[in-house]
Every structure is written in C-alpha cells, then in structure tokens.
Amino acid sequence: PWGGVGGRQEGVLPVGSCFWFLTSLPNFPWAQRRFLMLTVFLSTLTPKFYVALTGTSSLISGLIFIFEWWYFQKYGTSFIEQVSVSHLRPLIGGVENSPPVPGFSANNGENETNRQSLSECKVWRNPLNLFRGAEYSRYTWVTGKEPLTYYDMNLSAQDHQTFFTCDTDSLRPSDTVMQKAWRERNPQARIKAAYQALELDNDCATAYVLLAEEEATTIIDAEKYFKQALKAGETVYRKSQHCHPQNSQHEAHLRRDTNVLVYVKRRLAMCARKLGRIKEAVKMMRDLMKEFPLLSMLNIHENLLEALLELQAYADVQAVLAKYDDISLPKSAAICYTAALLKARAVSDRFSPETASRRGLSTAEINAVEAIHRAVEFNPHVPKYLLEMKSLILPPEHILKRGDSEAVAYAFFHLQHWKRIEGALNLLHCTWEGTFRMIPYPLEKGHLFYPYPSCTETADRELLPTFHDVSVYPQKELPFFIHFTAGLCSFSAMLAVLTHQFPELMVIFTKAVSIVSSPGLA
C-alpha cells in the first residue's frame, strides 16, 4: 500500500515503478536484482507470447533442418560443419595438411587427378566372368532370381559385336548371320541364329562360341563347344595371316580372327580350371600370354594369379605380381589384395593382437599391415565380403574398378585362398579399418592412390542385381548437425503444440523452470 502523495489517492504502485524503486536502492543485492528482473519480465508475458515464441522457433529450426538435409544430399556433408571446418578452423589456428600422393609429381595438377578419377569409373570386362548357360542360368533355375542386369548384358552384347564382328562380315554369309545374332536380345533367338550360321559354314568359330556360352548347361559341354571353336578359329586365323595385304579391310578381318582365337583359348583355360585340371589351365594361360603379349588389357594375368593360388604356388604368384604390380600399370583388387595376402602369409599364423600391442609390430608385420591398408584404400568394399560380414552373390559380367562389383567378383573367387592361409583373415579383421584413419579428411582425398571416385555407387547399382545390397564408400553418414537440427526441430514443434493446447499450464511451467534455474535467489 502506498499513501497518497501530491494529491494521489491511496492505491497500489504499478509493478514497473516498484521494480524501478527497489533496484535503484544502493544496497540492493545484484543477484536478487537479477531475479526480480526475470520475475517481472515473465509476469508481464501472456500465453499468446509463448505460443508465438514456440511456433516461431519451431519454424526456424525446421527451415534450418530442411536446408541442412538438402545440402547433405547434394554435397555429402553438413553446411554448418563445412563452414566451421573451412572458415572457423583457420581462425582458431588449425591447418589442414594434405600429403602428396606418392609416385606422382605435384605438377600434374587437378586436371590429371580428374582425368584419373574419370578413368577409374570405366566399366571393365570381368576377367573371371562365369558362363551364362552353365552357371548363370543354373542359378536362375534354382533360385528364380536373375543374377545379371539388363545393363550388364547389354554391355556384353556390345563387347561381342566389337570382338567378333568386322566390316568384312558381308563377304561370308555365316558371319552375316552371326552379326545379327549378337544383336538379338532373346537367348533362344541367338542360339537359333548360331545353328543357322553352322549350316552355312561348319567352321564358323563364333557360332560355337555362342553355343558354348549360352546353350551348354555344364562346363563339360561348354568345353566341347570351345574345342570345336578352337579348331575352326585356328584354321581361319592361319588363312588370315597368309593373305594379309596392306589393306584396312583385311587388317580388320585379321584383328577379328585374333580376338576370336584369344577368347576361345582363354575360355578353354577357364574350363580346365573349373574342371580341376589346374596345371593344364596354368600352362594354357602362360602360352596365351606369350603368344599375344600385347593383349594385356584383357587381364589374363588375373586368371593366372587365381589358378596359381589354387595350386599354392606362391613363388610363381610373387613372380607374376613383380611384373604386373608396377606403378606405371593400372591396379585392380586382384593385384592389391593378392600382394597383401602374400605379405600376410609370412606372419599371419603367429599373429596375435594382444602380443603385438605389448611388444609392437615386427618389420614383417608392418609390411603386411601396410599392404592390407594399401589394398583396402584401393577397394574398401572387399574386406566385408572376405570376412563374411556381407553375403556374396554371383559376380557380374562387368566390373567397376574400386567399386562393389569388383569386390564381389574378387571375393567370389579368392575367399577360399584367404581361408586356406591360417590367420590371414584374422590379420585382415584386426587391421583393415585402420586404413580410414590414415586417409586425410575428407575421405575422397586419398593417400596412396588417386581420390576415390564418386561415380562408383551409380555404376554398381546398374551392374549388380536389385536383390543385392550395394556397398557404398565413403558412407554418407548423417553428420552431428543433421541430428541436432532434427532434434531441435522436433522438440520446438512439440513445445509449440503443447503451448497452443495448454497455454496457462505452459506459462506456469516456464516460470517454475526459471525459478529452479536461479538457485539461491528465492
């Protein structure tokens, strides 16, 4: 109660005047002054203010979350995180050092890196691709699933037209029929066309090739067809060699006959490998590589490596690697992981993580671990298949180097070789994830190889069947700020709804929280 002053009637002093009067006293404690300021401020707010406040905060946090999500989907990182790394870290004093890529001079520049990245995304013919009739079709009969995608089969059709046809096909009726056969989409139509070609010419090697690939239901039947194709192909090849004038058409004809002969000999060697005649297969592959040394792009050495591993001829495997694991030659999962397997073989039988942590790694163990890190950086998808953390499927006819398709193809044929060496998988299990700590941030920058290409996921989804869970690297995990903004948006939206439905109760709750958050003021 305040007495009348200056003619004013007795009444109650307004809250603002009372607050001003008390806080202006010289001996008024600062803590209580702050508490009174907060109490007066909260007492003047209406429920409509709280509704508007929570609704506005919910809208703002929602917009931030939508922008963060859009930025992450487009660039693979959080915008807030990117700004903090790019702009705030230099101000604080952090410097991001990117080590140079070994084996390449800094003068190559960004253009060369981009060119290499694009070349890494090229789709290659699988050196160990299976037989359609004897293996892929049998899988379909048993499971009812199609192991090959239309995109993969279309690439094979293009390969067949490139390898087995030429401009001079019109000179031989059987080749004309086969030229149409390779373009047919229906397998039965292709087989029917192959028989028509054989009726016109019993020495049509490409017709036998088609029957071996698609009509034969066993490897034994396929081998019979390929032997007939070899006999016919050698005859035609010798004729092409003898009548080889300096003419572009005849050069194309000779090139086609050479491709047919190399293809047939390679598939015969693969038949021998599948039928258990490993030494015979190794000899055929070695002879083929000596006879046609310029056809290294066919990667016949990968077939040879797999056969030698089956023979456990590790010295011969090392000799092949010494020739093909060169810095000037393109790499593959077969090259990198076979090199790692040989290094691991020297130490894996007595390797123990506990012992290694106590005494440290020996020189041989360091070499093995570095080889595993090198292989994992080249293709990070392989370890999950070798360690059976992901289920295997039949490999596609084409693979993408450093992609999931290459990992499937490698593990499908080489898992048994890793299991055969005692402790090799244990060493891989203990060390492969350490690779990612060595690669500088972000993961795409690379350490021993060129930056990991960003196109692998799209190509792998085209090459691998839909029932397969495609492995993605680097995995675009949701950053912290995405989770934070999502939680903030959800919490503020919940508060907005509660405040709108129970405004008086939320006002009381807010005042109670403010009092509790100011200890020692009551």
Side-chain angles (χ1 to χ4, degrees):
W2 187 260
V5 177
R8 293 179 61 179
Q9 296 180 353
E10 183 177 345
V12 178
L13 190 67
V15 174
S17 300
C18 179
F19 166 73
W20 174 83
F21 173 76
L22 292 174
T23 55
S24 61
L25 296 177
N27 296 327
F28 198 81
W30 177 84
Q32 294 185 12
R33 183 184 301 136
R34 186 182 64 172
F35 171 72
L36 284 176
M37 290 174 62
L38 180 61
T39 304
V40 171
F41 174 75
L42 293 176
S43 63
T44 57
L45 299 179
T46 62
K48 292 184 178 180
F49 170 80
Y50 291 98
V51 173
L53 177 64
T54 53
T56 305
S57 61
S58 176
L59 176 62
I60 294 174
S61 59
L63 293 176
I64 295 175
F65 173 69
I66 293 173
F67 176 76
E68 279 281 291
W69 180 258
W70 169 84
Y71 193 88
F72 171 75
Q73 292 286 12
K74 187 173 183 180
Y75 299 104
T77 185
S78 166
F79 174 76
I80 301 175
E81 183 179 352
Q82 188 73 14
V83 170
S84 62
V85 170
S86 303
H87 301 285
L88 298 182
R89 181 183 293 181
L91 295 178
I92 297 174
V95 179
E96 184 179 353
N97 295 322
S98 300
V101 180
F104 302 96
S105 63
N107 296 329
N108 289 340
E110 186 177 355
N111 292 333
E112 174 133 1
T113 300
N114 294 336
R115 286 197 299 271
Q116 177 69 14
S117 178
L118 291 174
S119 66
E120 291 282 1
C121 292
K122 178 183 177 182
V123 175
W124 298 77
R125 182 82 176 178
N126 184 3
L128 298 169
N129 66 302
L130 305 178
F131 295 87
R132 283 196 184 177
E135 292 173 305
Y136 287 120
S137 296
R138 295 173 71 88
Y139 179 84
T140 303
W141 298 339
V142 173
T143 64
K145 298 179 180 179
E146 290 291 341
L148 298 176
T149 63
Y150 174 77
Y151 175 72
D152 192 15
M153 292 188 290
N154 186 51
L155 290 176
S156 297
Q158 296 177 15
D159 291 340
H160 295 152
Q161 294 177 50
T162 302
F163 294 155
F164 304 146
T165 63
C166 65
D167 297 335
T168 62
D169 285 344
S170 58
L171 301 178
R172 293 190 294 193
S174 59
D175 290 337
T176 303
V177 174
M178 288 305 301
Q179 192 175 45
K180 297 178 181 178
W182 297 120
R183 297 173 183 170
E184 288 286 349
R185 294 187 177 182
N186 190 333
Q188 296 302 321
R190 290 195 294 270
I191 294 173
K192 182 179 179 181
Y195 279 113
Q196 292 176 355
L198 289 176
E199 292 176 358
L200 297 173
D201 183 6
N202 195 41
D203 288 335
C204 183
T206 54
Y208 289 117
V209 169
L210 192 149
L211 294 176
E213 292 287 353
E214 302 199 25
E215 189 190 44
T217 57
T218 64
I219 301 298
I220 296 177
D221 293 338
E223 187 180 35
K224 292 179 181 178
Y225 279 122
F226 275 122
K227 286 181 177 179
Q228 292 177 290
L230 178 63
K231 182 178 179 181
E234 287 179 334
T235 302
V236 175
Y237 178 70
R238 283 193 295 268
K239 291 180 180 179
S240 299
Q241 280 185 314
H242 293 320
C243 60
H244 175 49
Q246 297 298 325
N247 184 295
S248 60
Q249 288 186 343
H250 286 85
E251 288 181 1
H253 191 85
L254 177 62
R255 189 183 309 112
R256 191 276 305 273
D257 293 339
T258 303
N259 291 337
V260 172
L261 186 61
V262 172
Y263 185 91
V264 170
K265 287 187 174 183
R266 179 181 191 163
R267 295 302 262 179
L268 274 173
M270 296 176 68
C271 287
R273 162 68 182 92
K274 292 176 183 290
L275 294 174
R277 306 195 306 269
I278 315 257
K279 292 184 178 179
E280 178 186 345
V282 168
K283 183 180 183 303
M284 295 174 68
M285 293 174 191
R286 289 188 186 277
D287 293 342
L288 184 58
M289 294 169 66
K290 291 179 181 178
E291 187 178 359
F292 302 97
L294 299 180
L295 296 180
S296 59
M297 74 288 296
L298 298 177
N299 297 323
I300 303 175
H301 59 276
E302 296 193 11
N303 300 85
L304 180 60
L305 282 174
E306 197 278 328
L308 290 173
L309 286 172
E310 182 65 20
L311 288 176
Q312 302 184 42
Y314 298 112
D316 293 336
V317 173
Q318 184 61 55
V320 176
L321 287 177
K323 182 178 180 180
Y324 290 97
D325 192 5
D326 186 83
I327 193 171
S328 61
L329 298 177
K331 299 295 181 294
S332 66
I335 292 290
C336 296
Y337 278 89
T338 302
L341 179 60
L342 293 187
K343 295 284 182 63
R345 175 176 171 268
V347 299
S348 59
D349 58 339
R350 55 186 179 276
F351 177 80
S352 171
E354 296 79 11
T355 305
S357 62
R358 289 197 306 268
R359 62 169 172 79
L361 296 176
S362 64
T363 302
E365 290 172 339
I366 291 176
N367 293 335
V369 171
E370 289 179 350
I372 290 176
H373 287 174
R374 171 179 178 260
V376 174
E377 182 180 346
F378 181 83
N379 193 318
H381 310 284
V382 173
K384 287 188 176 181
Y385 294 105
L386 293 180
L387 298 173
E388 299 183 76
M389 299 167 64
K390 288 193 65 176
S391 58
L392 273 174
I393 60 171
L394 293 186
E397 293 184 337
H398 290 80
I399 60 174
L400 183 69
K401 287 190 175 182
R402 308 186 74 177
D404 191 35
S405 52
E406 184 190 33
V408 169
Y410 173 81
F412 184 86
F413 294 101
H414 288 263
L415 176 58
Q416 57 182 334
H417 306 316
W418 281 81
K419 286 184 174 181
R420 185 179 294 121
I421 297 177
E422 182 183 357
L425 290 176
N426 177 51
L427 180 60
L428 177 67
H429 175 73
C430 296
T431 58
W432 74 278
E433 290 181 321
T435 306
F436 308 124
R437 293 191 294 270
M438 299 174 58
I439 302 176
Y441 180 87
L443 295 179
E444 293 90 338
K445 285 190 174 182
H447 178 60
L448 298 174
F449 295 99
Y450 280 102
Y452 189 83
S454 58
C455 58
T456 55
E457 179 182 359
T458 303
D460 281 333
R461 293 191 185 280
E462 294 288 338
L463 290 173
L464 297 169
T466 55
F467 58 82
H468 175 69
D469 183 17
V470 176
S471 178
V472 180
Y473 173 83
Q475 186 67 43
K476 293 183 178 180
E477 298 179 354
L478 292 179
F480 165 75
F481 288 103
I482 295 289
H483 293 285
F484 177 76
T485 53
L488 180 63
C489 176
S490 302
F491 180 72
S492 57
M494 181 185 67
L495 286 181
V497 172
L498 292 176
T499 306
H500 183 268
Q501 295 294 328
F502 312 101
E504 300 292 343
L505 182 61
M506 290 302 294
V507 169
I508 297 173
F509 175 75
T510 304
K511 292 180 179 180
V513 170
S514 63
I515 294 175
V516 172
S517 62
S518 301
L521 298 182

